[in-house]
Amino acid sequence: MIYTDTRDSSVSVDFKTAVLNGMNPQTGGLYMPVEIPLLNKAFLGKTPEPSFRDVAYESAKLFVEGEINDSNLQSIIADAYPFNAQVVPLDPVSYVLELFHGPTCAFKDFGARFMARVMSYFNRDENTPLHILVATSGDTGSAVGSAFHNVPGLDVTILYPEGKISKLQEKQLSTFTGNVRALRVKGNFDDCQRLVKTAFTDKELRQKFRLSSANSINISRLLPQSFYYTYASLVVKNRSPRDNKIENPSIIAVVPSGNFGNLTSGLIAKEMGAPISGFVAATNANRTVPDWIATGKYTPRASVQTLSNAMDVGSPSNYERIRHMYSLEEVRSLFASYWLDDKGTMDAIKSCHSRTGYIIDPHGSVAWKAWDDIRRNGMENLMGGLSGNINEPGLTPSIPDWASSIIEKRAVGILLETAHPSKFGDTVLKAIGREPSMPDRLEKVLALPDNSIPMTSTYTDFRQWLMDNLE
Ligand SMILES: *Cc1c(COP(=O)(O)O)cnc(C)c1O
């Protein structure tokens, strides 16, 4: 597969180059496959549906052809995914897609684990390690650290702002050993990012060490997220006639979004042939994309802090990829959009629990509320001309092509649950009066010793530390 770039269509590189560069250093653009390959129809039509790993393998094959052979790809997939994405019915026409069964209990494990193994594969003939530097404000760091832990040929240094992330997140980051370590920086997230960026432009440092990033814009984190969309849509398509008597349902993926990587992966799955009719772009008060869909004007802005903090992004990087794939009109025909404030998020955790018994996290709850409003009467009102006010939380005034499937009751929702609720125990406790139980793998982390290394926010200190400690 050939990869091009969102800013310059004359760019043409192989998968390895796209993965190791992360972002195109010449243009600042993001890599995309020149065309989205189609999955085999017979494969998509199998009953019962293929397993998650089979979907992962068949999909990944199309993106790495000629660069990673079949048996190596099989091992990469097996090693990356000892866990599954799970489809859990909430009511006859709503399914939660649980993406938190990986080691760090958030969906970022799916992308990070594939990326780590692919990078290790591409580094296999080198005799020096590839050094990954990553600045994190929370979930990304733990997913990356865990994904790269003990992966041969790779060495990871994570920078996080001391005291500015949740206790559990800090614990997840500070307890790595071996080839992964965390520096707790006296400063904020921007300081961490500045240190990493400065290191990447430091010629002398780069001559001494082979450096790479594990940024969320890396194409090798985006492609594997398409696997669970394809898998879940096949499961739901097969289950639907039994659960709700709808043959060939209009399947809508409702995606709690921040940087819009997850949603972009859904678009890739749809283009590959997954039976998905449309999407709901669901955000918190960082509503840059809903505003764009409503008004046609794209205005990135500073982020505001919310209860669903992993979605606090005011200038989503993957907007550039969405625009590379579709025109505004196409986006409007495919997406409904929705935003929710913190009060609505609390109410949503509570009403989801009281109505279905399911304990949802503050990110997934935004998706749940969006879907609930859409099928109650949100879409009907919109179609009847009762358009919403974009400054109030709720459905954005833009009607997708699939709107009639809601009114005709042919639609089924897949709501992406991006993190385990116990990662946000305090918020959930406030909403429903009890704390969700914690999976063993998180509980265990709490008991591990803190190995984090103190660091100032001064570049010369960081540089000296790298010089003294990296191999
Ligand atoms: C990162 C994250 C999101 C947002 O995903 P994007 O790909 O940035 O849109 C949502 N929920 C959780 C729990 C996350 O960690």
Side-chain angles (χ1 to χ4, degrees):
M1 175 64 71
I2 292 170
Y3 291 78
T4 184
D5 157 334
T6 49
R7 296 195 183 170
D8 179 357
S9 59
S10 70
V11 168
S12 149
V13 299
D14 59 9
F15 184 56
K16 178 177 178 178
T17 308
V19 171
L20 295 181
N21 280 352
M23 168 193 274
N24 188 338
Q26 271 90 42
T27 63
L30 309 182
Y31 292 110
M32 277 297 272
V34 276
E35 54 175 19
I36 309 285
L38 282 173
L39 280 160
N40 179 302
K41 276 226 165 63
F43 177 76
L44 290 170
K46 271 188 176 171
T47 30
E49 66 283 339
S51 68
F52 172 74
R53 278 209 216 159
D54 285 347
V55 170
Y57 173 72
E58 290 298 327
S59 308
K61 212 169 125 112
L62 304 170
F63 292 109
V64 307
E65 214 130 51
E67 295 182 70
I68 303 179
N69 72 28
D70 291 357
S71 75
N72 283 319
L73 184 61
Q74 291 272 17
S75 344
I76 288 174
I77 298 284
D79 204 37
Y81 304 119
F83 56 92
N84 268 349
Q86 289 182 20
V87 178
V88 177
L90 267 195
D91 65 47
V93 294
S94 316
Y95 299 86
V96 172
L97 175 56
E98 292 184 346
L99 300 172
F100 55 66
H101 295 284
T104 72
C105 298
F107 85 94
K108 292 188 174 71
D109 285 331
F110 283 92
R113 292 180 67 84
F114 183 80
M115 171 169 65
R117 280 147 191 85
V118 163
M119 281 186 165
S120 169
Y121 180 80
F122 286 139
N123 197 54
R124 70 197 182 286
D125 296 328
E126 303 285 342
N127 39 30
T128 55
L130 184 62
H131 291 282
I132 312 287
L133 301 181
V134 56
T136 181
S137 55
D139 280 341
T140 299
S142 53
V144 167
S146 158
F148 284 75
H149 193 221
N150 293 335
V151 175
L154 302 179
D155 183 85
V156 181
T157 304
I158 301 169
L159 289 79
Y160 72 88
E162 182 172 17
K164 299 225 162 49
I165 61 178
S166 83
K167 283 245 150 46
L168 180 64
Q169 284 174 328
E170 185 144 10
K171 202 70 195 173
Q172 282 184 300
L173 289 174
S174 61
T175 52
F176 289 115
T177 54
N179 68 328
V180 180
R181 69 211 59 90
L183 306 184
R184 49 174 210 276
V185 175
K186 285 223 177 332
N188 56 27
F189 174 61
D190 294 331
D191 292 318
C192 298
Q193 240 180 348
R194 175 177 46 80
L195 294 178
V196 168
K197 282 193 176 151
T198 313
F200 279 120
T201 55
D202 184 331
K203 282 213 179 77
E204 203 188 321
L205 193 75
R206 296 204 74 152
Q207 262 163 12
K208 195 156 173 325
F209 304 114
R210 295 173 52 239
L211 298 182
S212 188
S213 81
N215 209 295
S216 67
I217 54 175
N218 196 300
I219 190 74
S220 69
R221 274 182 66 177
L222 206 70
L223 298 176
Q225 293 172 173
S226 72
F227 308 160
Y228 52 70
Y229 281 90
T230 301
Y231 169 70
S233 62
L234 296 175
V235 170
V236 166
K237 185 165 182 263
N238 280 347
R239 280 193 68 136
S240 228
R242 274 180 283 138
D243 289 351
N244 49 45
K245 311 277 181 293
I246 305 172
E247 296 286 339
N248 284 317
S250 155
I251 295 175
I252 309 301
V254 190
V255 191
S257 296
N259 209 22
F260 279 79
N262 200 0
L263 200 141
T264 304
S265 303
L267 299 172
I268 293 172
K270 178 177 166 55
E271 293 297 322
M272 294 176 79
I276 299 173
S277 299
F279 295 86
V280 181
T283 73
N284 58 29
N286 294 283
R287 55 194 173 89
T288 306
V289 168
D291 283 0
W292 166 57
I293 291 174
T295 65
K297 288 201 191 70
Y298 184 74
T299 318
R301 54 202 84 161
S303 63
V304 296
Q305 203 177 343
T306 75
L307 291 174
S308 44
N309 57 38
M311 291 156 48
D312 293 349
V313 182
S315 177
S317 317
N318 287 292
Y319 166 75
E320 206 168 309
R321 283 197 169 106
I322 296 174
R323 287 312 311 266
H324 178 81
M325 293 177 79
Y326 301 115
S327 68
L328 173 62
E329 285 322 302
E330 288 168 326
V331 167
R332 283 177 166 160
S333 67
L334 208 52
F335 290 27
S337 65
Y338 187 96
W339 76 273
L340 195 61
D341 59 11
D342 276 353
K343 182 181 177 303
T345 303
M346 289 299 267
D347 290 346
I349 298 172
K350 197 168 161 180
S351 62
C352 177
H353 183 243
S354 65
R355 284 173 37 208
T356 69
Y358 190 86
I359 301 181
I360 203 155
D361 97 290
H363 304 80
S365 74
V366 176
W368 186 78
K369 181 75 167 108
W371 177 241
D372 195 50
D373 280 5
I374 285 174
R375 64 193 179 119
R376 278 172 171 241
N377 48 26
M379 198 55 88
E380 201 165 351
N381 286 345
L382 212 56
M383 292 176 83
L386 295 170
S387 74
N389 173 354
I390 60 167
N391 293 314
E392 299 286 334
L395 197 57
T396 314
S398 169
I399 302 171
D401 282 357
W402 48 265
S404 56
S405 72
I406 298 282
I407 316 296
E408 292 157 10
K409 308 226 176 294
R410 291 185 288 110
V412 171
I414 299 179
L415 323 183
L416 277 67
E417 171 58 325
T418 47
H420 192 281
S422 69
K423 290 190 96 170
F424 306 91
D426 292 348
T427 304
V428 175
L429 174 65
K430 271 192 209 120
I432 66 168
R434 78 174 234 233
E435 225 171 307
S437 57
M438 196 174 265
D440 282 354
R441 58 195 185 285
L442 283 186
E443 195 94 58
K444 278 196 187 122
V445 169
L446 292 175
L448 296 175
D450 182 341
N451 300 321
S452 64
I453 299 156
M455 181 51 59
T456 72
S457 60
T458 311
Y459 181 66
T460 47
D461 290 342
F462 176 54
R463 183 177 202 273
Q464 193 58 47
W465 187 89
L466 293 174
M467 287 293 193
D468 294 344
N469 292 280
L470 296 192
E471 288 182 6

